[in-house]
Amino acid sequence: MNKLGSRQPVTRGKMCEHAHVRPADLRKKKPDESAQEMSRIVMDSGTGKCYCRGKVLGKGGFAKCYEFTDLATGKMFAAKIIPHSRVSKPHQREKIDREIELHRGLHHKHVVHFYHHFEDKDNIYILLEYCSRRSLAHILKARKVLTEPEVRYYLRQIVSGLKYLHEQEILHRDLKLGNFFINEAVELKIGDFGLAAKLEPIESRRRTICGTPNYLSPEVLNKQGHGCESDVWALGCVMYTMLLGRPPFETTNLKETYRCIRDAYYTMPSSLSPPAKNLIGSMLSKSPEDRPPLDSILRHDFFSQGLTPERLPSSCCHTAPDLHHTSPAKNFFRKAAAALFGGKKDKAKYFEALNKLTKEEEEIHRLRHEMRKTSISSQNEDIKALAPPTVKPAGVPVKDGTNKQQIRDTIRMIVRGTLGSCSSSSECLEDGTMGSVADTVARVLRGCLENMLEADSIAKESLYSSFQWVTKWVDYSNKYGFGYQLSDHTVGVLFNNGTHMSLLADRKTVHYYAELGQCTVFATGEPPEQFVGQVTILKYFAHYMEENLMDGGDLPNISDACKPRLYLLQWLKSDRALMMLFNDGTFQVNFYHDHTKIILCSQASEYLLTYINEDRVSTTISLSTLLVSGCSGDLRSRMEYAFNMLLQRCN
């Protein structure tokens, strides 16, 4: 989550990364307005949009940063809120205006995106990209130190974003771990441009001392002005801090810290690798002209002689990732390469393994060919009629005795989610616990993703979509809970205390779930005394969604006679999508940027997948059809993202 570093004046004592030095005209303390009550719902009078203010993400000298949710779309932002009383003087307001003007023009993958700004009578609001995994400072606090592959991964992204800023003739002037934000996909974004400035000619450069003391360069301390080299110096401090868990010039005394910086005096522990020592040493050169340009940093031996992961798992935010794990195929070829340079015995083993691999690949291709030839309609009929026999999981080569029936049975087991511990998917779903439902859905998605063929588009299949799905939703979990409306107009709220309440489409009946599967039914107008408050909130959610939100697609409504009672078990929001999991295994993921949706549901021993595209047009297809016909890479990537969200919520 985005966090604004503290902007308080520096005091003596042990130096902290978040302390700042600011120009003298900005150092005067202002009264603390934090006690003032701020409205939870904020409206932008210019656009008419309403936002719900959530929890505090960070605090600064002039501003606080909050979670902000667009009530119409559910999109989340990090909102920097600056009270007018904090910028009452002209030079203070000019500084905020400069920050807005500078940041709004920046567009880069590794720079926090600026969305919008507006103001009311009390505050200025700056809406920024929401980064759900907070910052590198938070990761380092949990991890203490990072591994070299992780440092290479993050440094590559920092250099990419910083190079873009310098090409725009912008100096950040406050690079530190707390200003590197991490999004849901563990991608780094440079943020907080409160001290950023335009690059000036040498003779006109700013000579004020501002930034974070542990990261200040000698030329800034000596008031020789800021240049691109000052950002490179800070980058050297960042690299040192990630590898060792502390800044290079940290001492218990500010005066001593400044002396060490001016002399470029710091220690290089033996735990650092020689390439890491060399790169840090070059970036922390006392003379600015001796520091490497950004392009040459990425060509350094530190990067060329070590592993740089393409992606990092979310677990790296709190534990060291296992980056040395290799797939069976990679292990095979690694051993094969070693065998080619070994003795006769090694070579014999290599060719034996090669022949075995070739036969297995042929079997896989033959199996896929048989699957393509099998009639989709006959598969659907067989799937309904057959009980699951004992077969090997799909994707595992089987002997020549394999027939079409076994292939169809294998597909059936995948789409029913029965390749795990449960004897049937319905058995797991009837259990009704969050874990069992989530496990079943995850098993189905995993089986589909691991066995689905590639295709250019999704197959056309006419299926009756007799299931419920979420057409509207609103996140008010900062106060009450998460609300949604189903396609049959039932409104549900999963309250913050874990209970659930549904207002049926007739608006006369309420279903209350204190525990999973245990339902209490009562009339809307006569709720038991202990439920009066929750019923009032439920009605509020229903009224708000009816009056303010649009439906989410073109799927037909299900009749009240044939629908089961659906209620929400779990939900999760990322910076890209919203995930919702229901008691009957219905699993829905809404993607914010293009309003596409994926809905997975179980019907008559079969799983159906519905995809609602950008034009709000839906396609419903059985997973057995999807397995043999495949789908586009675009839909597959959405399915993979949905699967990862589900795993994250389960863990």
Side-chain angles (χ1 to χ4, degrees), residues 353-363:
L354 180 62
N355 290 332
K356 183 180 178 182
L357 180 68
T358 302
K359 289 180 181 178
E360 289 179 347
E361 286 181 335
E362 288 175 357
E363 183 63 35

Side-chain angles (χ1 to χ4, degrees), residues 311-482:
R311 299 182 65 179
L312 286 177
S314 58
S315 60
C316 74
C317 295
H318 48 81
T319 56
D322 179 9
L323 300 174
H324 302 290
H325 174 73
T326 54
S327 66
K330 287 182 178 178
N331 278 330
F332 173 82
F333 287 110
R334 176 176 56 79
K335 293 175 182 177
L340 289 174
F341 295 98
K344 292 182 180 179
K345 187 179 292 186
D346 291 327
K347 288 184 180 180
K349 288 182 179 178
Y350 162 67
F351 286 113
E352 182 183 348
L354 180 62
N355 290 332
K356 183 180 178 182
L357 180 68
T358 302
K359 289 180 181 178
E360 289 179 347
E361 286 181 335
E362 288 175 357
E363 183 63 35
I364 291 171
H365 288 306
R366 188 191 66 75
L367 185 63
R368 286 183 173 175
H369 180 66
E370 291 291 339
M371 290 168 70
R372 284 194 180 96
K373 291 197 302 181
T374 303
S375 165
I376 290 174
S377 59
S378 66
Q379 285 179 40
N380 289 338
E381 292 172 2
D382 291 339
I383 283 171
K384 294 178 182 178
L386 293 172
T390 303
V391 297
K392 293 187 178 182
V396 178
V398 294
K399 295 182 179 180
D400 294 337
T402 302
N403 55 33
K404 294 179 183 179
Q405 188 64 61
Q406 287 175 313
I407 295 169
R408 291 196 295 269
D409 293 341
T410 300
I411 295 172
R412 178 177 181 275
M413 292 183 73
I414 293 172
V415 299
R416 288 190 62 189
T418 60
L419 297 180
S421 58
C422 295
S423 61
S424 70
S425 59
S426 59
E427 179 182 312
C428 282
L429 294 174
E430 286 170 5
D431 182 356
T433 62
M434 285 189 286
S436 64
V437 174
D439 286 345
T440 302
V441 176
R443 200 161 50 244
V444 169
L445 272 174
R446 185 194 298 275
C448 188
L449 290 168
E450 289 179 350
N451 294 272
M452 184 169 57
L453 300 177
E454 295 181 1
D456 295 329
S457 61
I458 188 171
K460 300 298 181 184
E461 186 176 18
S462 298
L463 292 176
Y464 175 61
S465 346
S466 58
F467 57 88
Q468 297 178 78
W469 63 292
V470 175
T471 59
K472 302 178 182 181
W473 62 273
V474 60
D475 177 14
Y476 206 175
S477 58
N478 64 307
K479 194 167 185 180
Y480 300 120
F482 182 89

Side-chain angles (χ1 to χ4, degrees), residues 55-201:
K55 64 184 177 183
V56 176
L57 300 176
K59 301 178 183 180
F62 289 90
K64 282 187 179 181
C65 193
Y66 293 87
E67 281 184 355
F68 245 41
T69 304
D70 186 327
L71 289 176
T73 66
K75 184 176 178 63
M76 292 187 70
F77 303 91
K80 190 173 181 178
I81 303 180
I82 307 125
H84 284 305
S85 57
R86 291 289 182 96
V87 290
S88 56
K89 294 186 178 180
H91 68 274
Q92 294 170 333
R93 179 59 197 241
E94 287 170 10
K95 177 191 174 300
I96 301 301
D97 291 341
R98 278 199 307 271
E99 178 184 349
I100 292 171
E101 191 60 32
L102 183 150
H103 196 172
R104 74 193 305 176
L106 301 178
H107 303 281
H108 190 271
K109 181 179 181 180
H110 296 301
V111 173
V112 170
H113 187 67
F114 181 104
Y115 283 101
H116 180 55
H117 82 283
F118 64 95
E119 52 187 284
D120 56 24
K121 62 182 179 63
D122 299 313
N123 305 299
I124 302 167
Y125 304 88
I126 303 175
L127 302 189
L128 304 170
E129 181 177 1
Y130 178 73
C131 293
S132 61
R133 299 197 184 280
R134 310 182 78 174
S135 72
L136 269 186
H138 294 94
I139 292 175
L140 194 70
K141 183 177 180 181
R143 291 279 308 280
K144 309 306 178 187
V145 294
L146 303 183
T147 63
E148 285 199 0
E150 291 174 282
V151 172
R152 280 188 283 268
Y153 171 84
Y154 290 124
L155 281 180
R156 279 189 182 278
Q157 298 183 33
I158 296 171
V159 169
S160 176
L162 190 57
K163 186 170 182 261
Y164 168 77
L165 293 178
H166 289 178
E167 287 170 351
Q168 308 302 309
E169 298 188 332
I170 292 172
L171 302 176
H172 189 278
R173 302 204 304 170
D174 196 18
L175 295 176
K176 62 178 184 178
L177 272 67
N179 286 339
F180 299 135
F181 302 106
I182 309 298
N183 70 5
E184 187 71 17
V186 196
E187 296 168 332
L188 182 143
K189 313 276 182 173
I190 302 174
D192 197 345
F193 291 87
L195 295 180
K198 279 285 187 180
L199 178 64
E200 303 287 351

Side-chain angles (χ1 to χ4, degrees), residues 555-605:
L555 283 173
N557 293 336
I558 182 172
S559 67
D560 188 78
C562 61
K563 66 173 175 38
R565 292 305 174 193
L566 206 64
Y567 57 91
L568 187 66
L569 292 182
Q570 294 177 302
W571 62 280
L572 176 68
K573 287 167 69 177
S574 72
D575 58 351
R576 183 181 170 189
L578 164 72
M579 178 204 90
M580 294 166 284
L581 178 66
F582 289 84
N583 62 302
D584 73 338
T586 297
F587 177 63
Q588 180 171 334
V589 177
N590 295 9
F591 292 88
Y592 306 139
H593 69 290
D594 57 6
H595 304 293
T596 58
K597 299 170 183 67
I598 289 176
I599 306 161
L600 185 68
C601 70
S602 174
Q603 280 194 356
S605 300

